[in-house]
């Protein structure tokens, strides 16, 4: 049984994009550790700003939760939200 001469070419053409994708993935993953170290070294990574950011996120989640639970248009409310 003879092998069609187009098969090796087709396999090569299919393998090239996969190989390029793998090379790009390896290149991006290599810089991830440096990025993590840079983020840890930023001045905003101290405990006070982290707790402030956490509190801010809690307030936003509370507002979203309230908006999901009510039929009122919470976008029209004044800034100090009251129930």
């Amino acid at each position: 049984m003879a092998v069609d001469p187009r098969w090796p070419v087709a396999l090569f053409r299919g393998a090239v994009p996969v190989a390029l994708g793998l090379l790009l993935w390896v290149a991006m993953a290599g810089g991830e550790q440096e990025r993590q170290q840079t983020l840890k070294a930023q001045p905003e990574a101290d405990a006070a700003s982290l707790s402030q950011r956490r509190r801010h996120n809690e307030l936003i989640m509370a507002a979203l939760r309230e908006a999901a639970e009510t039929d009122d248009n919470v976008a029209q409310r004044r800034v100090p939200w009251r129930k």
Side-chain angles (χ1 to χ4, degrees), residues 28-77:
M28 296 300 291
E32 182 66 20
Q33 290 177 350
E34 281 183 34
R35 191 179 73 81
Q36 291 292 334
Q37 294 297 327
T38 304
L39 288 175
K40 286 181 184 178
Q42 287 183 342
E44 296 90 24
D46 63 346
S49 57
L50 286 177
S51 66
Q52 182 180 6
R53 190 177 312 143
R54 213 172 279 124
R55 176 70 179 140
H56 184 259
N57 287 342
E58 288 172 3
L59 290 173
I60 289 175
M61 290 305 295
L64 289 173
R65 196 174 303 112
E66 180 185 354
E69 292 172 353
T70 184
D71 290 335
D72 297 338
N73 187 354
V74 295
Q76 299 298 324
R77 289 188 183 172

